[in-house]
Amino acid sequence: METRYGSWLGAGIREEFDYYADVCFRAFGDRVKYWTTFNEPNLFTKFAYLLGEYPPNHCSPPFGACNSGNSRREPYVAAHNILLSHAAAVNNYKKNYQAKQGGSIGIVVAMKWYEPLTNRTEDIRAARRALSFEVEWFLDPIFFGDYPREMREMLSANLPKFTPEEKKLMQNKVDFIGINQYTAIYARDCISLPCNIMTYEGNAMVLATGERDGVLIGKPTAFKGYYDVPQGMEQAVKYVNERYENTPVYVTENGYSQQSDNSVEDLINDVGRVNYLQGYLTSISSAVRKGANVRGYFVWSLIDNFEWGFGYTVRFGLYHVDFETQKRIPKTSAKWYRGFLAGAGPVDDQVQALKADS
C-alpha cells in the first residue's frame, strides 16, 4: 500500500479499505456484533505524518526532521483518506449487512482532557483548540459533514475539503463512539507566547504540561505525560455526549502503567492501579448518574503485553506476565476488579483485605 498509493496519502487506499472491511463483514459478521473501523486514527496520523515517530516517518520543520514529509499538509490528507475509508465501510455495513447481522459500527479516538493552564483567555482557547485538533478533527466530519472551525481558520488550504458526494457518504453516522481515555493535562497557548511545538499538540499551537505553579495535575504514571486525573474522564464523556447528539459512548481503553524494571513484588502489589481504576470508574459512574450515555468500559489491559513503541518497558496488565516463561500471576488489581464486578465493598476495605490475604 505504501508503494502503490503512498499509504494513507493516496486516495486509492480508500477502495482497498472498503474491500477489506467487506471481507471482514462477510466472514465474521455472524459472530462479531461490534465493529470499529479505526482505532486512534487521530493519534496515528500525528505520529506518522506530523512528528515522524511512526512509520512511514514523515515530518518537516518545525515539527521534526525527517527524510521526507510535509507536516503542514500530510497529516490532514491522511486523515481525510481515513475518514472517507471509514465512511465507505460504514455505508457498506449499514446498507448490506446490519439488518441481517444485527451488529453496530463505530470508530475509536484517543482523547485526553485538556484544562487551561491559567485563567487567561488565550489558555482557555488553547484547551478548546487542543480538543478540536484531537477529537473534533475526526468526529465532526462524521456528524456535521466538515472539520471544526478552529482547524479551518488555522490550516486554511492545507485542510482538505469534502465534495458534496463525500459529504453525502458521511451522512451514515456511527452507532457508537469509542474513546481511549487515560489522562487530563494542562494546555498553554503557543500563539501569544512562543513555545516548543515539536509535540503531540503542536499543530494546534498548544503546549501540554502536567504542572501548574509547581504542582502536578495528578499522580504521574510510568507513561510519560499520563497522570491519574479521574475527573477528566467525566468531563470527556460528557463533552462527547453533548457535542455528538448523545451517541452511545464506550470507554474502549483506560488503564494504569508501571515501569517494567520495578521489582516483581511491587508490580504484583499494584495498589496504584487499584486506586486509578477505582477513581476513573467512580468518575464514569458520576457521569452516568448525570445523564451521560456510556454503554461500556474496557480496562487496558488484561495482561502485560508488548506496548507498541514502548515494547516491554511499561506494563498495563491486571495480570503480571513473566516474558521469559510466559507465567501469568494475578495482580492485586485483578483481584480487586473481580470483586468490583461482583459488587464488593469500598476500595480501601478491599485493598486491606487483599494485603492480608497475600
Side-chain angles (χ1 to χ4, degrees):
M1 299 302 167
E2 178 69 29
T3 302
R4 185 178 298 174
Y5 304 116
S7 189
W8 291 105
L9 299 178
I13 201 168
R14 303 175 199 167
E15 184 178 353
E16 300 280 3
F17 185 83
D18 189 21
Y19 177 78
Y20 162 69
D22 187 75
V23 169
C24 292
F25 297 148
R26 282 189 283 112
F28 308 118
D30 59 329
R31 286 153 288 164
V32 175
K33 301 306 175 186
Y34 294 90
W35 296 93
T36 58
T37 54
F38 290 91
N39 179 59
E40 297 184 339
N42 50 345
L43 186 149
F44 161 73
T45 47
K46 285 193 179 188
F47 281 113
Y49 295 102
L50 178 76
L51 301 173
E53 295 181 17
Y54 290 179
N57 306 105
H58 284 202
C59 69
S60 63
F63 300 98
C66 301
N67 292 328
S68 62
N70 182 341
S71 294
R72 297 197 181 277
R73 178 160 178 79
E74 286 188 357
Y76 314 107
V77 172
H80 199 72
N81 286 322
I82 289 172
L83 278 163
L84 290 170
S85 299
H86 157 88
V90 171
N91 182 63
N92 181 22
Y93 185 72
K94 287 181 175 281
K95 181 179 179 181
N96 298 311
Y97 295 99
Q98 190 169 47
K100 58 185 177 184
Q101 293 182 351
S104 58
I105 191 165
I107 191 169
V108 174
V109 294
M111 184 179 185
K112 296 178 185 176
W113 180 252
Y114 295 93
E115 289 287 343
L117 178 62
T118 72
N119 60 6
R120 295 171 59 238
T121 299
E122 291 85 355
D123 286 345
I124 294 171
R125 289 174 178 167
R128 177 71 186 79
R129 198 164 61 244
L131 280 172
S132 291
F133 274 72
E134 183 177 48
V135 178
E136 296 169 15
W137 179 17
F138 277 84
L139 295 185
D140 271 25
I142 293 171
F143 284 86
F144 310 128
D146 204 359
Y147 297 107
R149 176 180 55 81
E150 290 87 349
M151 295 190 73
R152 282 272 173 230
E153 291 176 351
M154 287 187 62
L155 301 175
S156 188
N158 286 325
L159 192 63
K161 293 183 178 180
F162 293 102
T163 67
E165 293 77 16
E166 290 169 345
K167 287 188 176 184
K168 186 176 181 181
L169 183 66
M170 301 287 284
Q171 288 177 356
N172 274 311
K173 296 175 184 175
V174 293
D175 300 313
F176 64 87
I177 298 167
I179 62 170
N180 295 347
Q181 214 288 324
Y182 290 85
T183 191
I185 202 153
Y186 294 124
R188 177 194 147 188
D189 177 60
C190 291
I191 297 175
S192 60
L193 295 171
C195 48
N196 174 29
I197 60 170
M198 288 179 61
T199 66
Y200 182 78
E201 290 82 8
N203 61 334
M205 295 302 289
V206 171
L207 177 67
T209 176
E211 185 178 316
R212 174 200 279 164
D213 298 329
V215 179
L216 294 177
I217 193 171
K219 290 183 178 179
T221 69
F223 224 58
K224 184 180 178 181
Y226 279 36
Y227 301 86
D228 184 351
V229 193
Q231 60 269 30
M233 176 67 83
E234 180 172 354
Q235 296 299 322
V237 297
K238 177 183 175 183
Y239 172 84
V240 171
N241 267 171
E242 290 180 352
R243 186 169 182 86
Y244 300 112
E245 304 169 359
N246 204 37
T247 299
V249 169
Y250 288 86
V251 178
T252 37
E253 285 184 27
N254 172 248
Y256 178 91
S257 59
Q258 302 164 286
Q259 292 287 356
S260 280
D261 58 6
N262 290 353
S263 70
V264 173
E265 181 181 358
D266 287 342
L267 289 170
I268 293 174
N269 185 29
D270 59 341
V271 175
R273 178 174 287 109
V274 173
N275 291 331
Y276 177 98
L277 295 176
Q278 193 267 349
Y280 276 76
L281 286 163
T282 298
S283 186
I284 293 172
S285 178
S286 174
V288 170
R289 288 196 302 271
K290 295 173 184 175
N293 190 5
V294 181
R295 301 290 182 88
Y297 170 88
F298 296 82
V299 176
W300 186 266
S301 59
L302 177 64
I303 61 173
D304 295 332
N305 59 52
F306 187 84
E307 289 291 341
W308 298 99
F310 294 88
Y312 296 114
T313 63
V314 293
R315 296 171 180 262
F316 279 86
L318 299 178
Y319 281 75
H320 177 268
V321 178
D322 182 322
F323 295 126
E324 295 295 326
T325 66
Q326 295 297 301
K327 181 180 179 180
R328 303 175 185 184
I329 303 171
K331 300 178 186 178
T332 298
S333 58
K335 299 171 184 176
W336 174 81
Y337 196 53
R338 183 166 58 232
F340 167 79
L341 294 175
V347 62
D348 290 340
D349 294 347
Q350 290 187 61
V351 170
Q352 292 304 319
L354 289 167
K355 284 181 177 179
D357 289 344
S358 61

